[in-house]
Every structure is written in structure tokens, then in C-alpha cells.
Amino acid sequence: MSIYKNIDFDDSLSPVVRHLATVHEYRETLQALQGTWDNLTLLGQLSGSGTDMNATREAFATLTADLLNHLGVEIRNKAVQALKSKAQVAVDIMVRNLFERTADIGFLAMDEDVLDFARCICNLLARGEDPETCSTHRQRLEARFNEYVRKYSVYHDIVLFGTDGRILARLDPDGVRGFSTDPLVQDAQTTCNSYVEVFRTTDLFPGAAPSLIYAYRVDDHDGKTLAVLALCFNLENETHRIFANLGHERDWTVLTLLDAEGTVVASSDRYHLPLGATLERVLDADWGIVRFAGREYLAITRPAQAYQGYTGPGWMGHAMIPLEHAFEDHGTGRLSSMPAEITTAVMKSPTLFSAALRNIPCQAEQIQRELNRSVWNGNVRQSKDKGNVGNAFSKVLLWEIGNTGLKTTDVFARSIGNLNETVVSSILDDSAFLASLAIDIMDRNLYERANDCRWWALTTLFSEQLELHPKDPASASTAITAVLEAINALYTVYDNLVVFDANGVVIASSNTRYSHCIGRPLAEEWVRRCLNLEDSQGYVVSAFEPTALYQDRHTYLYAAAIPGVGQQRPIGGIAVVFDAAPQFAAMLHDALPRNSAGDLHPGSLAVFADRQRKVISSTSDRFPIGSTLPLPDALFGIPNGHHGADIVLIDGQYFAVGVSLSAGYREYKSTADAYRNEVAALVFVPLGSTAPAATATQSSIPARAIRLPRRNSDTTTCASTEIATFHIGDECLGIVANQVIEAVDANGITSVPGLPDHVHGVFMYKNRPVLVLDLKDHLRLRSPVEASSYRQVIVVQGRNGEPFGILVHQLGDIPEVANDHIDPVSQLYQSNTALAESVVRLESEAGQAIFIVLSPDRIMSRLLGNRTLASEHDVPARVLREIAQA
């Protein structure tokens, strides 16, 4: 522990505690009240009121430190979790994107058009002729490169090298030509891997920042290397998109990607953290405080998580936020609009709040209850001591002690509420963030599917073989199948690839499991739409439904038209069958919440669904594909590209549900794209079970249901009576104060067999057994009361000074009431069985109020008759001895 501003804080808070503004707000208020407690304790000792505040003062001081520590830890944890999520997602999204690039380079290096041009150049050079004689051929290839980038817009350049580094063709018309000395040309020719990945400065882009390039050799059919192909990734454009999705306008967080040496590869704010700067990484802890350019930051560094075995270029996600802005938003007011039954159930959840945290409200309630009882008893004593010259001062002191207690518990209640909202809002924010991650992953993944089918539709071999198919169907099918199998081996997200002719008849399939489909026509409506496409940028997508091309399971099929040789007229089409079951499940699994150890949050689940709440994929058998989510329509009414979160009740359990609607990615499902598919990602985090039906307990009754004045305005000129008030259930009642002995805690009561139901039991009071009565069945209460909900016992004097106890829920005020405001019950109702003796009329802070004054004598006469506790017929001597010994 370390001391800051006279409060013992956990050592883990020491580096950040001075920046926790909310903690300091409550600290200042509570410490000011602590000063008041010090003064009241001293005055109580001097006044002789018999009220010792030392225990209360010390209890509040201890609880203050506990509360502020918990609040500080939760606010810090919320900020850390937000940074951690952003840092992890930034690098993981990039790795997923680059994984697709490793497949792209392998397939494009096999492209027959690339191979033909490389073969042509090699032949010219072998004969000693000028390669420029192939300029027309080169222009056709560069046009094909342009067609490729129209679909895969993540690239800004494509370069074809000769084996000696000569630049043979290039997409960028303004890029340097001639020769390159970049080692990647030689590395691509000798690598045993399926691609070469480099990030560095290169002579391809003189004077530019480091470039991310994927390269591989172009081999002839006999295995001879003819050239090297390079795809130049548009890193700046892509990281800008990633960072923009992870931040908002007023966010002070700076996101970066770092290489293995901690050098900034990409930055969300280059003026704040420039490219090439070296940052201190946080590798041995969840978070840390780092310095950069004379400023302190809360920082997180996260390594990339492998995606299908691929870990990327070795980069890490790094998130930083200036310490003075790190803890500004912690969810205050997030739960204020939610129904009370939801917040009550959530706040008591053992899965969200530790036992120590959940015990703080109980401790505060216990301290306040003991304080109220101490003040109440002090007022009772003062009401019996009318001749004491210090009586007036003592009553004012007791009043102020009570008021200070209420102020203290009010601050505790607000700070506990703030703490609870910090925890729950963190879960809501995290679930919404993870839902955004899931839908972003989905959009990015399906963007690649739309690209793949359009690009592969332009494969020259497909056009040629479809033209030949009527003459030699077996040969054409074999040639197309070989290419489809090679593609499918590189792109494992597909269960099957099929090519069909202009009549929709399947010509070839990459998966032998579907060989029975070859020669059969496809009757689905997307086939007709595909064959009516008019240009190479068009594609169609099936509805998410079962298909024979996926073993009658639900999936999406992406399809594009294959043009005829030398013409745009479709002569067939290619359909890619997305392997939806494992792919969507993996996306959702990656979006599930995890703890600091990386373990999944127990009971959490994730779902993809359409706007009609129909399930597309789920991590839980609870919501199978095709079922309808039992969620409010409002969750699905948010605009595309937006996200939100709410608390919902499903099968008796509350969940935080984050939802995010698809916004598309780049050109995919954007304004320039005709395709629309409104899908939502939802992440569910269990918060707790529904609370049991509410009963009248101490916590369910307001601290002061009726705020009564200390002295009625008329008592200066007429006689008055002091009434000790209390609550049973939601009813405010009273007993004349000089008939009350004192209030004690409702502990140590022993039930006695054979006594009437209204006798709750017996407890020892000042070395003698006393009966304790439960009046709930003899009062007209507005709500039912459980016997276990009582917290106090008022000991009163019956006839002949015989004491007995009355169970109550809460103690009230002890007002001094003018006698002309007290009406005997006999004037209102003639009955010998009534427990009440009078009705009090007075003005309260809420307006006019009345309450019933009970008669101890009538209670004894009606409920105990002529029997006394001394009678062994009421309580056996053996039981009395056991009680006395206890």
C-alpha cells in the first residue's frame, strides 16, 4: 500500500492515482465528512449525550479507503481493457488481411498471362533481341494488373521482374523502370516458402517510407524460373482504415504498429507519434507507464495472434493515451435509464463483482444502521431526561450526527453506484467493441470472396476451355478442374469451386465430394443473375440458405460471369462456395471476450444474424442456424456501420449484448456496390440471473421514508409529546418515546416451539429473556413482509414495566409533536382489539403526513393476554436456561 492524500491506495494504483479525477472527487467529499465526524465525536464526548462516535468514525474511514481503492482499480481496468482491445485488434486485423496476400501472390504468379509474357521476354533475351518489341504484350499485361487492382484495391503497385532484376512490367506508369537491386528478386527465386514477405525501403520507390511487398517466382511448366512477381501492399491506406474504425473524434488514444525493435511502422497520428520513432514496449505486464517526447502515457503492447498459422511480419499492436486523459470516461449514468430490477440483479452478480466489492454496500448499510440506532437511542434517552440543561444541545448534536451519517452513506451510495456502472459499462463497451470486430472481420473476409470470384472469372484458360467444351467436354472439364483444384489448395476458405456453362450446367468442381453435380444444371436464382452480368466488376451472391454445393448446409455462394474469348458476352460462370460453418464460427470465436490470461469469459457467446433476427452462425447450440433471436427489435434498428449495447433477459439470465451492423469494406457493400446484405454481429456476456421477488428489507426501504421535523412549530406554546418512529415493511409507525427502552440489533433471537406465530422468539436483554413479537400479520401492510428481512428490535415497556421486543425494519425520527396534532384512535374507531392508541397529524418535508402510534399495553393485552414470560407454560425453563447460557 502507498499513501496518497492521506488514503492508503493499492501499490498498483500508485502510478495513476493522481489522474483518477472521479476517485478524487469522492475522496475530497468523504474526507470533508471525516472532518465533520471528528468534530461530532469530540462534541459527543463533551456533551454527555452517551453517544460515542469513535467506532462509526473509524468504520467509515476504513470503508472509505476500501471503496476508493475498488473504484480506482475498476476505472483503471476499464481504461486498460479499452487500450488492450484496440491494440490487439489493430494488429490482428492487419494479420488477417496480410494472410490473404500470401495466397494472392502464389496464385497470381501462376497466372497464364503473366507466364506467357515472361516466357516471351526470356525468348527475346535469349536471342539477344530488345524486350521492347513486346511492348504491346506488356501493355496488355499491365492492363491485366490494373484489372486485378480494381478488384484487390489493397495493392498500389504490381511489378514483374526478370531474374536479373530487370523491371519487365509495372502497374504504376510513373514508377521507376530499368533494373532493381532489391534482394527480394533473388530471395523469391531461391525461397523454399510459398512467398517472400519484406518490409523495408526499396529502390522501387526512391525516397519513400518502407514498403510492404509480397513476391514469388514465376515458373514455367517445366519448373524453370522465368521471372519474379511482386505485389506492393498499400499499408498507409489500410492502416488508416483500421485505426479510424478503432477510434472516435474525441479519443486521445494513439494507435501504432511496431516492429520487433519497437520502431513505429504505422501510426494513427503521425504528428503525435511519427513513423520511424522508437517506443518503449510493454512486454512484461498488461499495461505500463511510458514516456515519449516529455509526456507520460498509459501504454499497452500486444503481439499478433496467429491466423491459420500465419503471424504476419512480426509486428505488434501498441496503444498509448496521455495519462491526463486516460480515465476521463468511465460510464457514469450508463445504467440510469434501465429498470431497477435489471440494475439490482446485475449489481449482485458474483461473476462481475468480487465478494469484497459486493460486501462494501453491506458494510456501509451496517455502519449506517448502527449509527441510526445509536442516534435513535440517544434521542430516546434525551426525551426521558427533560430536566437536563444540556438536553437541547444534545438533541441538536444527535440530529447533526444523523444528518452527517445520511450524507456519508449518500456519498457511499453514489460512489458505489459509480463503481458498479464503471464495471458494467466496461462490459457493455467491450461487448459492442467485440461485435464491431466480428462484423469487420466478416466484411473484410467476404470482400475477398467477391474479389476472388471476379478475378478468377477472367482466367483465360476458363474462357478457352468453355469455348472448347462442346467439342471435347472431357478434356475441357479436366483442364478446368486442375486449375480449380490448384486455386482451392491456396484458398482454404472455400469448400468448393465450380465452373458452369451458359446454361448453368456444372462443368467442373474442385472438390471430388461434389463430382455427382457435374453435368447437372444449377436451378438457383443467383445463376441467372450471374449469367446476366455485363462487366468484369460485377458479381452476385446467393441468399444464405442450404445448397447442394455445400452438402445441403447454409452458406453464401459468390459468382461472376466468365466472358468469351475476345468478347464480354458471358459463356459461363464461376461460383465459389464459402465454407461458412467453420469460417463464421472461427470469426465469432475470435470475437469472444477473454480475461487477462486469454481464457474465454464463461457463458459468453457470439452470433451473426440478419435484421430479421435470423441466425446465420452462432458459437452456442442455444441459437442454431435459422433460429430467431429472442431480442428486442431496437437492437436491430441501428444504422449500418453503427454499434450499440444493452442489457437483455434471456431464459432467466441477464446478458450484456453488444451489436454492430455491417458497413462493408472498401468497395464491398459500399455506395459503389450494388450488393446489399445487412448482417449484425452480436456478442453476449452473462451478467447474472434474475433477482428473486422483492421483499420488504432494509435495503428496499428509503433511509427516511417520511422526514419528520424535530419539533412541531406549535410546541413553543402548548404541550407536546415525543414519538419514536420506525418502519415495518413500508409502513411508518410510532410509540411514545418514554415507553421505549432502546433499539437493538435483531441478532441472537431463539425460536421457541409451541408459541403463537406472532411470537418470533426470545432473546437475552440485560441478563433476562425477553419475548420478541412480529406484528406483520396484525397490521394492514401494503406489501408482504418476510420474517427474515427484519434488522432491528425495539424494546418497549408493557404493563407493569414488563419489557418485550418488536421486530422492525428501520428506525425513523423522534419528532416532538404538539398534543393537539395527536388524535386518539377511540375518536376514529371504536374497537378493543386495535393495537394503535393514536394518529399523528403533522407537516413533513413532503407535505402533510400522518402515522399511527402503537400502544405497548394494547399489544401485550391482545397478543400476550395475561401471560408473562415468567410463565413456564410460555417458555420452558430448560429453554430459558439455554438462552441465558448463550
Side-chain angles (χ1 to χ4, degrees), residues 93-103 197 212 214 233 235 310 312-313 315:
I93 285 289
M94 179 57 71
V95 166
R96 282 178 167 270
N97 190 312
L98 299 185
F99 172 77
E100 298 282 351
R101 313 292 66 92
T102 65
E197 178 184 62
L212 181 60
Y214 291 82
F233 186 72
L235 180 63
Y310 174 73
W315 295 343

Side-chain angles (χ1 to χ4, degrees), residues 439 607-611 635-636 659-662 678-682:
I439 202 66
V607 176
F608 286 132
D610 62 23
R611 277 202 187 269
L635 275 173
F636 291 84
V659 59
S660 183
L661 267 292
S662 170
E678 297 188 339
V679 175
L682 302 102

Side-chain angles (χ1 to χ4, degrees), residues 490-818:
L490 288 170
Y491 293 84
T492 56
V493 297
Y494 300 115
D495 180 66
N496 191 21
L497 309 175
V498 297
V499 168
F500 50 90
D501 65 16
N503 297 315
V505 176
V506 176
I507 302 301
S509 168
S510 68
N511 191 332
T512 57
R513 186 186 298 128
Y514 304 98
S515 298
H516 64 280
C517 294
I518 296 175
R520 296 182 182 180
L522 297 172
E524 287 90 339
E525 57 83 26
W526 57 265
V527 179
R528 175 186 52 78
R529 288 189 287 122
C530 174
L531 293 172
N532 286 327
L533 292 171
E534 297 179 350
D535 60 58
S536 64
Q537 285 298 99
Y539 68 98
V540 300
V541 188
S542 73
F544 188 77
E545 59 189 10
T547 173
L549 296 175
Y550 191 53
Q551 296 183 307
D552 293 321
R553 294 176 293 169
H554 286 74
T555 192
Y556 291 113
L557 292 92
Y558 284 72
I562 299 174
V565 177
Q567 57 183 325
Q568 292 299 313
R569 178 183 58 84
I571 60 171
I574 181 172
V576 298
V577 184
F578 185 61
D579 198 1
Q583 294 299 323
F584 282 153
M587 296 177 200
L588 293 173
H589 185 270
D590 287 350
L592 290 173
R594 288 170 168 76
N595 60 22
S596 57
D599 300 323
L600 292 177
H601 191 297
S604 62
L605 58 112
V607 176
F608 286 132
D610 62 23
R611 277 202 187 269
Q612 287 68 49
R613 297 177 294 163
K614 187 177 180 181
V615 174
I616 292 171
S617 182
S618 171
T619 61
S620 170
D621 295 337
R622 192 176 202 166
F623 302 121
I625 294 172
S627 63
T628 300
L629 291 173
L631 296 177
D633 291 336
L635 275 173
F636 291 84
I638 61 178
N640 288 328
H642 290 70
H643 62 264
D646 202 353
I647 296 177
V648 299
L649 179 63
I650 302 176
D651 298 335
Q653 187 172 27
Y654 286 108
F655 287 87
V657 181
V659 59
S660 183
L661 267 292
S662 170
Y665 171 66
R666 291 183 176 269
E667 304 80 19
Y668 177 67
K669 293 201 294 187
S670 70
T671 55
D673 190 356
Y675 178 56
R676 293 290 180 273
N677 185 29
E678 297 188 339
V679 175
L682 302 102
V683 173
F684 297 72
V685 181
L687 298 180
S689 301
T690 52
T695 57
T697 63
Q698 171 73 10
S699 58
S700 65
I701 301 173
R704 295 290 172 99
I706 300 179
R707 186 62 186 273
L708 304 174
R710 288 175 289 167
R711 178 181 293 273
N712 189 280
S713 58
D714 296 336
T715 58
T716 56
T717 58
C718 65
S720 63
T721 302
E722 291 189 75
I723 310 293
T725 66
F726 50 88
H727 292 272
I728 299 178
D730 52 12
E731 194 72 37
C732 182
L733 304 164
I735 292 178
V736 174
N738 61 18
Q739 296 175 318
V740 174
I741 300 174
E742 69 172 321
V744 297
D745 198 71
N747 289 326
I749 301 175
T750 302
S751 61
V752 179
L755 293 181
D757 290 342
H758 56 260
V759 180
H760 187 70
V762 180
F763 82 116
M764 294 302 296
Y765 177 72
K766 294 184 178 179
N767 297 319
R768 64 172 296 179
V770 172
L771 286 174
V772 179
L773 304 181
D774 182 354
L775 305 183
K776 68 177 186 299
D777 294 330
H778 298 271
L779 300 170
R780 291 180 176 270
L781 300 178
R782 285 167 285 184
S783 302
V785 172
E786 294 291 336
S788 60
S789 64
Y790 292 114
R791 295 291 181 269
Q792 315 268 358
V793 174
I794 296 177
V795 182
V796 299
Q797 287 181 337
R799 59 177 180 269
N800 302 322
E802 179 76 20
F804 66 93
I806 299 174
L807 287 170
V808 304
H809 289 107
Q810 183 177 329
L811 302 173
D813 293 315
I814 302 181
E816 190 173 346
V817 182

Side-chain angles (χ1 to χ4, degrees), residues 70-310:
H70 280 293
L71 183 58
V73 166
E74 294 302 335
I75 292 174
R76 182 206 61 201
N77 287 350
K78 185 176 189 296
V80 167
Q81 179 59 38
L83 279 186
K84 184 184 296 184
S85 297
K86 291 177 181 179
Q88 191 70 66
V89 168
V91 68
D92 287 350
I93 285 289
M94 179 57 71
V95 166
R96 282 178 167 270
N97 190 312
L98 299 185
F99 172 77
E100 298 282 351
R101 313 292 66 92
T102 65
D104 288 350
I105 186 60
F107 178 71
L108 193 56
M110 298 163 48
D111 187 85
E112 284 294 330
D113 290 338
V114 174
L115 183 59
D116 286 346
F117 178 73
R119 189 183 296 118
C120 175
I121 293 295
C122 286
N123 290 336
L124 287 173
L125 291 174
R127 295 195 299 266
E129 298 179 19
D130 186 356
E132 280 302 310
T133 58
C134 276
S135 60
T136 302
H137 197 171
R138 174 174 55 78
Q139 290 169 5
R140 287 200 303 270
L141 181 63
E142 289 175 349
R144 187 163 173 79
F145 287 168
N146 184 65
E147 189 74 41
Y148 188 84
V149 172
R150 287 181 67 196
K151 296 162 178 62
Y152 300 90
S153 57
V154 294
Y155 300 112
H156 66 89
D157 201 2
I158 302 176
V159 184
L160 183 68
F161 303 92
T163 56
D164 59 354
R166 181 194 300 266
I167 297 176
L168 304 179
R170 186 170 191 176
L171 173 63
D172 185 358
D174 300 321
V176 297
R177 301 287 170 158
F179 285 82
S180 171
T181 60
D182 197 302
L184 75 84
V185 176
Q186 292 302 315
D187 292 343
Q189 296 178 64
T190 58
T191 184
C192 295
N193 299 320
S194 56
Y195 60 90
V196 170
E197 178 184 62
V198 298
F199 178 72
R200 58 175 177 244
T201 56
T202 174
D203 56 8
L204 290 174
F205 308 103
S211 299
L212 181 60
I213 302 175
Y214 291 82
Y216 198 63
R217 55 184 172 267
V218 178
D219 289 341
D220 207 343
H221 298 308
D222 60 3
K224 178 184 177 182
T225 298
L226 303 177
V228 170
L229 184 69
L231 297 175
C232 304
F233 186 72
N234 197 337
L235 180 63
E236 180 179 357
N237 179 272
E238 180 60 21
T239 52
H240 174 76
R241 290 174 181 269
I242 292 174
F243 294 151
N245 288 341
L246 295 176
H248 55 81
E249 185 179 353
R250 301 181 63 84
D251 193 353
W252 283 86
T253 304
V254 184
L255 296 171
T256 67
L257 295 178
L258 305 180
D259 66 14
E261 286 72 42
T263 303
V264 176
V265 171
S267 173
S268 64
D269 187 343
R270 293 191 179 190
Y271 296 101
H272 200 154
L273 290 178
L275 299 183
T278 301
L279 299 180
E280 178 185 347
R281 294 168 296 167
V282 184
L283 300 176
D284 55 353
D286 277 348
W287 60 277
I289 305 299
V290 302
R291 290 186 178 184
F292 180 79
R295 199 175 194 180
E296 285 189 315
Y297 296 82
L298 180 68
I300 303 282
T301 308
R302 302 297 297 169
Q305 299 182 98
Y307 178 64
Q308 297 194 19
Y310 174 73

